[in-house]
């Protein structure tokens, strides 16, 4: 029996863990949270941080698994790449891991390879940050170079809000570095793809719904994109060029773009499975392609085909709207579960805890996932169910 080491045991990794079990793989899960929900599905578990290189390398040396991977999280990719190079298992290179997890490095590589991106600068200090603001016209986006889930991302509309934005972004930056870039305006999409032997295949383009300014947190996704064919073709071309620029030669990628008046421009690329249940649920239901299964097989050394029969159904996720206060209850009528288009309802907020308006992915309190004949119908199904759910906040 082949063994796989999965970094992360949170709710977002559970579909990956379950898929590994379904494939008959002996599944080892590591997470520093001893209460991580994914542990109950694992064959073996260890309480280790997913970014503790030394401990994970030692664990890999002892257990000798056939592969190592994660889902929906960026920084563990550096550890995974180190293990891959040390033990000759199938992962991206360490250089590619750095380029896809450090937003400044990413921008540099994309710029070098003439991939369309916004104008950008990096700052270590407040004075560098203020100088950078003067070099970009119009509104700016400020973000940490090494965070994910929209944490630390904020819009700067005027000089008065600049200092507050700097402190907010700095709070979420592990390295202390801040990226400042021009605000791109247009529809936002993400692209789910997989690279096999250096050749990238786009599986799905996802339309996004965000909170808008100032935090731009994602509140919904739907597949397949409703954008015109010509725009989707441009998105695919830019995505593939971006993945090649970062030298990602194997595995899944999650690429975010904004369709500006000048065409699609790259926001970020994650050299990993997409989060927010996009890859685990939406891609699977809308396209018939199980990217989790493909990535697991690829990681433990199985050959996988690079030809896909992509179906054209619809799937969508919508997150609950929050307000400030104490979360007392979320009431879901029983009849909601009889809806044939309902895939999943989940509550992630803790009753009795203080919640606030959504400013990053961690502040969301629940979601609904639905299918449909197309993405528009799937999204409408989510919205109909959300109307029947009552959220009690004091």
């Amino acid at each position: 029996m082949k063994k796989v080491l999965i970094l992360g045991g949170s709710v977002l990794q559970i579909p990956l863990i379950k898929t590994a079990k379904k494939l008959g793989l002996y599944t080892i899960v590591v997470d520093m949270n001893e209460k991580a929900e994914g542990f109950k599905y694992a064959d073996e578990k260890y309480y280790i941080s997913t970014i503790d290189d030394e401990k994970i390398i030692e664990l890999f040396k002892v257990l000798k698994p056939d592969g190592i991977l994660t889902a929906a999280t960026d920084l563990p990719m550096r550890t995974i790449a180190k293990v891959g190079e040390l033990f000759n298992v199938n992962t991206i290179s360490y250089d590619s891991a750095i380029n896809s997890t450090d937003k400044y490095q990413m921008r540099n590589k994309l710029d070098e390879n003439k991939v369309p991106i916004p104008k950008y600068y990096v700052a270590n200090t407040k004075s560098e940050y203020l100088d950078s603001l003067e070099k970009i016209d119009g509104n700016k986006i400020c973000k940490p170079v090494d965070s994910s889930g929209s944490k630390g991302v904020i819009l700067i509309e005027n000089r008065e809000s600049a200092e507050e934005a700097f402190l907010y972004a700095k709070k979420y930056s592990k390295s202390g570095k801040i990226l400042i870039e021009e605000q791109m305006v247009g529809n936002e999409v993400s692209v789910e793809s997989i690279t096999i032997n250096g050749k990238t295949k786009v599986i799905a383009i996802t339309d996004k719904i965000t909170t808008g300014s100032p935090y731009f947190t994602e509140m919904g996704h739907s597949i397949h994109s409703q954008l015109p064919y010509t725009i989707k073709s441009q998105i695919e071309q830019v995505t593939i060029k971006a993945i090649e620029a970062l030298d990602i030669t194997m595995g899944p990628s999650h690429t975010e773009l904004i369709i500006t008046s000048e065409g699609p421009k790259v926001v970020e690329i994650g050299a990993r499975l997409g989060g927010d249940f996009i890859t685990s649920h939406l891609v699977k239901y809308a396209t018939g392609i199980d990217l989790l299964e493909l990535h697991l097989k690829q990681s433990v050394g199985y050959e996988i085909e690079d030809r896909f029969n992509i179906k054209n159904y619809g799937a969508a996720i919508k997150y609950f709207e929050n307000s400030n206060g104490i979360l007392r209850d979320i009431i879901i009528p029983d009849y909601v579960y009889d809806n044939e288009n309902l895939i999943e309802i989940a509550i992630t907020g803790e009753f009795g805890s203080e919640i606030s308006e959504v400013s990053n992915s961690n502040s969301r309190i629940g979601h609904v996932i639905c299918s449909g004949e197309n993405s528009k119908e799937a999204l409408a199904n989510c919205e109909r169910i959300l109307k029947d759910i009552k959220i009690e906040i004091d």
Side-chain angles (χ1 to χ4, degrees):
M1 177 186 287
K2 290 207 173 195
K3 296 190 287 188
V4 65
L5 177 58
I6 294 175
L7 302 192
S10 74
V11 170
L12 288 175
Q13 276 88 29
I14 287 175
L16 183 65
I17 298 165
K18 285 184 173 181
T19 303
K21 296 291 293 175
K22 185 184 76 173
L23 291 174
L25 300 173
Y26 186 84
T27 307
I28 307 154
V29 177
V30 304
D31 198 300
M32 67 185 297
N33 178 11
E34 296 184 11
K35 295 181 180 179
E37 293 186 44
F39 280 147
K40 61 187 171 188
Y41 304 102
D43 292 303
E44 214 169 315
K45 62 183 179 182
Y46 293 89
Y47 306 135
I48 302 173
S49 166
T50 58
I51 58 174
D52 189 330
D53 294 359
E54 291 185 8
K55 287 185 179 178
I56 288 171
I57 287 168
E58 282 303 310
L59 186 67
F60 201 95
K61 194 182 296 183
V62 172
L63 300 179
K64 297 181 173 58
D66 299 278
I68 179 172
L69 71 164
T70 190
T73 181
D74 287 310
L75 287 181
M77 291 305 305
R78 300 183 185 187
T79 305
I80 287 168
K82 275 188 180 180
V83 168
E85 292 187 349
L86 280 171
F87 298 98
N88 196 30
V89 291
N90 289 343
T91 68
I92 60 172
S93 70
Y94 187 70
D95 284 346
S96 294
I98 293 295
N99 290 333
S100 60
T101 54
D102 183 309
K103 294 177 176 62
Y104 182 56
Q105 292 283 85
M106 183 189 299
R107 286 275 181 263
N108 288 340
K109 292 298 290 186
L110 296 176
D111 194 34
E112 282 174 23
N113 288 274
K114 297 181 169 50
V115 177
I117 56 172
K119 189 174 183 180
Y120 68 100
Y121 295 94
V122 72
N124 287 287
T125 64
K126 188 175 177 181
S127 61
E128 289 176 348
Y129 165 77
L130 293 173
D131 287 344
S132 298
L133 293 180
E134 299 299 324
K135 299 174 185 176
I136 300 175
D137 295 330
N139 292 346
K140 295 92 175 169
I141 298 290
C142 179
K143 63 177 75 169
V145 300
D146 49 10
S147 72
S148 60
S150 300
K151 291 189 285 291
V153 179
I154 191 165
L155 174 70
I156 307 168
E157 295 181 287
N158 50 57
R159 186 78 178 194
E160 290 71 35
S161 64
E163 183 167 344
E164 184 180 345
F166 175 75
L167 295 173
Y168 178 73
K170 195 85 168 172
K171 181 171 71 171
Y172 290 98
S173 177
K174 296 175 180 66
S175 64
K177 294 181 181 178
I178 304 298
L179 194 68
I180 305 100
E181 55 190 33
E182 63 177 323
Q183 182 191 15
M184 297 185 286
V185 178
N187 290 337
E188 187 172 352
V189 301
S190 66
V191 181
E192 308 312 315
S193 61
I194 188 164
T195 304
I196 303 167
N197 298 323
K199 182 180 178 183
T200 297
K201 176 66 177 178
V202 170
I203 303 299
I205 299 174
T206 308
D207 288 330
K208 289 183 178 293
I209 300 168
T210 75
T211 57
S213 66
Y215 302 114
F216 304 97
T217 304
E218 294 164 356
M219 292 299 289
H221 309 277
S222 58
I223 297 176
H224 293 268
S225 173
Q226 297 177 50
L227 289 169
Y229 172 80
T230 52
I231 300 295
K232 289 194 280 191
S233 180
Q234 292 173 24
I235 290 168
E236 288 199 18
Q237 291 171 27
V238 171
T239 297
I240 292 170
K241 188 174 182 181
I243 289 168
E244 290 173 348
L246 300 189
D247 197 28
I248 298 168
T249 58
M250 66 85 63
S253 295
H254 174 76
T255 306
E256 297 175 342
L257 306 96
I258 289 179
I259 317 308
T260 73
S261 59
E262 299 173 336
K265 293 186 179 182
V266 174
V267 179
E268 291 173 16
I269 304 172
R272 41 92 177 157
L273 295 160
D276 274 3
F277 304 96
I278 295 172
T279 309
S280 60
H281 290 65
L282 305 192
V283 170
K284 186 175 178 180
Y285 281 93
T287 72
I289 306 297
D290 191 336
L291 279 174
L292 279 66
E293 183 174 313
L294 290 173
H295 186 35
L296 279 159
K297 287 180 176 178
Q298 193 179 38
S299 297
V300 298
Y302 292 129
E303 287 293 322
I304 59 173
E305 294 289 329
D306 60 1
R307 294 182 182 180
F308 302 100
N309 178 25
I310 299 174
K311 295 176 182 176
N312 196 28
Y313 299 123
I317 182 170
K318 282 292 297 288
Y319 287 89
F320 298 170
E321 297 286 344
N322 295 13
S323 60
N324 297 326
I326 304 298
L327 179 62
R328 294 303 180 193
D329 201 0
I330 297 177
I331 301 167
I332 305 171
D334 290 340
Y335 63 79
V336 162
Y337 294 98
D338 296 329
N339 190 317
E340 63 180 3
N341 295 114
L342 175 64
I343 296 170
E344 178 178 288
I345 297 180
I347 297 170
T348 53
E350 186 177 343
F351 296 136
S353 65
E354 187 172 351
I355 63 171
S356 60
E357 291 183 340
V358 176
S359 60
N360 60 61
S361 58
N362 289 342
S363 56
R364 299 178 306 205
I365 61 171
H367 64 260
V368 173
I369 304 175
C370 288
S371 61
E373 286 298 312
N374 52 53
S375 60
K376 188 175 182 180
E377 183 180 295
L379 206 52
N381 289 333
C382 287
E383 288 165 351
R384 273 193 288 271
I385 289 173
L386 283 172
K387 285 179 181 177
D388 291 333
I389 296 173
K390 184 179 180 183
I391 301 172
E392 296 185 347
I393 299 171
D394 291 341

